[in-house]
Amino acid sequence: MKTRVHPLATRPSRSFPRVVDVCPRATSGALAILVFLASITLGGATSSSAERRTPVAQPASASTPSTFESALEALRSGDLVEATSLLSEHLAQNPDDARAHLMLSRTLERQGQPTSALTHARRAEELGNLAAPLQGARLLARLGSLAAAYEATVRAREAEPRSVDAYLLGTLLLRDLGRGAEAYEVATQALERGLENATLYEQHALLALEIGSPQAALTSARAGLAIAPENPQLHFAVAMAMVDSGDLSESSISQAIERLERALELGISGADRVELELADLLLAAERPAEALEYLVRASQRQPTADIFYKLALTQRQLGNEQAAAAAIERFTELREETATQTSDERTLGVRLNEIQQLAESNQLSEALMRIEALISEHRDSADARALEAKVLFSLQRSDRAVESIRRAVTLAPGDASFRYLEGLFLRLTGDPEGSATALRSALAIRPDLGEAHALLGGIELESEDVGAAVEHFQRAVELGISSPDLHRAYAKALADLGRDAESARQLEAAKRAEGGA
């Protein structure tokens, strides 16, 4: 008699991608919020509405304005070293110029000096600059101080109640701090304020799934798709919300299958997990032959005992007894291997987590000592190398950080997040060509990595490859990436191509993103 696979209503568990698996901004660890932060690292001497409302100290002499204007011109031309020198000179004569402190903070950040940048961001906040708390939050996140970074986002929301970035960064920080329910509440508050943003909807939907609120997830995911119809995580969230709602009708399952297939077409990360979800849904819909295709594909990408167990059941359901026996044999082998590896992996994971906690509490030197000791025992751990790179970068040891992240890339060439971090580090340390190469490699693996499109677009705009910049900016926006700097850069690129109407729309989007009218 053929063995029947359990339908969705009776299967014991369902392994859908967590927020950290699905969303590129959900890379584990505090410093990995660099993924989100990079969407605003596009260059240019722009200012937010908050900066414009902050009084600028009057010049002490007739020569001071020309120094400040020269600094602005240096920023516009991309000469960060000259801009730093001029802003420092200006502040020596005007120490209470909040806007200049903020601009110097951002300039230092772009040169890979987050600690010095933080000093000026804090001074700008003390002087009443409304945009400074969010800048401080970004820098604290880069330095690994997640809890302090979150508190800064609270002040940023108080200063700028309609700042999308303040709510989004706060949500991401709480999520990475393991405070999912609070992260959900912050995202909810943003949406209740009418801050419509595809990334906020995406995070809200995925967090709603995490806390067991499928109807809220469905509502947010659908709203997000109205803004970013090609965001694969939102298609995934719709599918999972439909399944989690308990509606196992033929129509509901069919719609969920379509959504998951669309997510795969759009290049969603964690494709093997999505393929397993599709297989389960297809089996529930009594379509085992189609389910088998996804199970075979998943087994080739990431062979696990669970996948081969499902393969065995499906092959048996189709009457393929020989194939079923082979799958059971492989399942047994993998289960035994897993049992042996689990203890070592658990120990490695615990130690990595402890080191991450040290980094988050800003004990970076201690964290570096421990990660180096760990790597001496686990030289082939890509995760350890990546964590080492983040700690080194926070310590402003940029060259070593790049070496470490490149080692992680070598150990795990299929991990787009490592290639993205390489691109980000190179960008922040003044190697746009190397950064562009790494970012293109990341996008070849994960075309849905919106932040990589945004960062690459900024590099291409600076190199005057305006057509390519527009393509990447457009893709970033389609994937739900939104920040004032992104929209302004996109607007400039469109204007350079003579597409003035589209440019104007991006400038309006920039105003909305920063809470303007």
Side-chain angles (χ1 to χ4, degrees):
M1 184 174 71
K2 294 182 181 179
T3 301
R4 179 164 181 78
V5 178
H6 290 297
L8 292 174
T10 58
R11 58 183 175 168
S13 65
R14 182 173 61 74
S15 171
F16 66 87
R18 301 166 297 147
V19 179
V20 295
D21 299 315
V22 175
C23 178
R25 286 161 296 285
T27 308
S28 60
L31 298 174
I33 293 186
L34 288 165
V35 170
F36 163 73
L37 302 177
S39 66
I40 53 87
T41 311
L42 293 169
T46 59
S47 62
S48 70
S49 60
E51 293 170 61
R52 291 193 295 272
R53 289 196 295 272
T54 302
V56 178
Q58 292 299 314
S61 69
S63 64
T64 303
S66 67
T67 304
F68 186 75
E69 290 301 323
S70 296
L72 293 178
E73 183 59 35
L75 285 172
R76 281 191 285 267
S77 66
D79 190 343
L80 302 183
V81 175
E82 178 67 8
T84 298
S85 176
L86 290 167
L87 286 169
S88 298
E89 181 181 342
H90 172 77
L91 284 168
Q93 300 179 51
N94 295 272
D96 293 336
D97 186 339
R99 183 187 180 201
H101 278 289
L102 184 64
M103 292 177 67
L104 182 53
S105 172
R106 290 176 171 169
T107 305
L108 289 166
E109 178 189 12
R110 291 175 62 193
Q111 295 177 85
Q113 301 178 48
T115 303
S116 299
L118 182 59
T119 299
H120 288 282
R122 284 172 169 163
R123 182 58 182 147
E125 183 175 355
E126 290 171 0
L127 292 167
N129 187 290
L130 299 182
L134 182 57
Q135 170 67 1
R138 290 165 174 157
L139 291 164
L140 286 164
R142 277 209 168 102
L143 290 167
S145 299
L146 264 69
Y150 173 69
E151 292 305 319
T153 68
V154 174
R155 299 194 301 276
R157 297 201 302 270
E158 292 171 351
E160 285 280 278
R162 296 194 61 77
S163 169
V164 172
D165 282 352
Y167 280 96
L168 181 55
L169 181 54
T171 299
L172 297 172
L173 287 163
L174 286 171
R175 182 210 57 211
D176 279 4
L177 283 166
R179 295 156 60 180
E182 293 176 69
Y184 175 76
E185 288 304 318
V186 170
T188 299
Q189 291 169 19
L191 296 177
E192 287 176 347
R193 285 183 175 272
L195 302 179
E196 293 195 348
N197 174 277
T199 307
L200 270 173
Y201 278 123
E202 172 194 307
Q203 287 296 306
H204 190 262
L206 295 171
L207 287 163
L209 288 172
E210 288 279 301
I211 66 173
S213 298
Q215 190 54 52
L218 187 60
T219 300
S220 287
R222 284 175 170 164
L225 283 170
I227 300 172
E230 295 191 4
N231 182 309
Q233 289 86 2
L234 288 168
H235 284 282
F236 167 81
V238 168
M240 293 301 94
M242 295 176 73
V243 172
D244 285 0
S245 68
D247 181 3
L248 301 179
S249 65
E250 182 177 344
S251 173
S252 179
I253 291 175
S254 178
Q255 291 179 52
I257 288 171
E258 290 177 6
R259 291 288 186 179
L260 291 178
E261 288 176 337
R262 182 60 177 147
L264 286 174
E265 289 173 4
L266 292 170
I268 192 169
S269 59
D272 56 311
R273 291 172 179 260
V274 179
E275 287 166 349
L276 286 176
E277 287 297 337
L278 262 170
D280 282 344
L281 286 167
L282 288 164
L283 289 169
E286 299 186 359
R287 293 157 61 180
E290 294 172 73
L292 182 62
E293 293 181 19
Y294 286 109
L295 287 170
V296 170
R297 194 182 305 171
S299 70
Q300 293 170 343
R301 180 181 286 108
Q302 187 175 354
T304 65
D306 180 53
I307 292 174
F308 276 93
Y309 181 73
K310 291 181 178 181
L311 260 177
L313 293 178
T314 305
Q315 293 283 21
R316 189 163 293 164
Q317 185 176 352
L318 291 167
N320 303 327
E321 294 298 333
Q322 187 173 353
I328 283 290
E329 183 178 352
R330 184 64 178 135
F331 159 74
T332 303
E333 292 172 356
L334 288 168
R335 186 173 59 174
E336 291 173 355
E337 291 174 10
T338 301
T340 302
Q341 295 170 359
T342 297
S343 178
D344 288 342
E345 289 177 355
R346 186 180 294 114
T347 300
L348 175 61
V350 168
R351 292 174 68 184
L352 284 171
N353 185 61
E354 290 173 349
I355 294 166
Q356 180 68 48
Q357 293 299 319
L358 285 171
E360 289 174 4
S361 62
N362 214 27
Q363 299 179 58
L364 295 171
S365 295
E366 177 68 17
L368 181 59
M369 271 199 319
R370 293 202 187 185
I371 194 65
E372 288 175 342
L374 184 63
I375 287 173
S376 69
E377 302 171 27
H378 299 273
R379 295 188 178 279
D380 293 334
S381 171
D383 289 333
R385 293 287 184 177
L387 181 55
E388 179 188 41
K390 295 170 188 176
V391 173
L392 285 166
F393 196 82
S394 294
L395 287 166
Q396 300 187 36
R397 301 182 190 178
S398 303
D399 291 344
R400 283 192 59 198
V402 171
E403 288 177 11
S404 293
I405 198 63
R406 282 175 169 166
R407 179 60 177 155
V409 168
T410 300
L411 291 167
D415 193 316
S417 66
F418 295 158
R419 293 178 183 269
Y420 174 80
L421 281 175
E422 179 188 1
L424 178 57
F425 289 167
L426 290 171
R427 171 64 167 147
L428 294 174
T429 53
D431 182 2
E433 292 183 5
S435 175
T437 299
L439 292 169
R440 290 188 181 103
S441 295
L443 288 170
I445 298 168
R446 282 186 51 191
D448 70 323
L449 194 54
E451 294 83 355
H453 284 288
L455 192 55
L456 184 55
I459 293 170
E460 290 167 336
L461 182 59
E462 287 185 0
S463 65
E464 300 183 355
D465 189 354
V466 182
V470 165
E471 290 181 12
H472 284 290
F473 287 148
Q474 178 180 347
R475 187 62 180 137
V477 171
E478 289 172 349
L479 289 166
I481 306 302
S482 178
S483 76
D485 285 351
L486 168 60
H487 290 297
R488 289 193 192 97
Y490 190 7
K492 181 183 184 307
L494 289 166
D496 287 349
L497 293 178
R499 295 159 62 176
D500 294 339
E502 295 173 77
S503 177
R505 286 195 289 273
Q506 288 305 314
L507 289 175
E508 287 299 316
K511 291 180 182 179
R512 291 194 297 273
E514 66 184 4

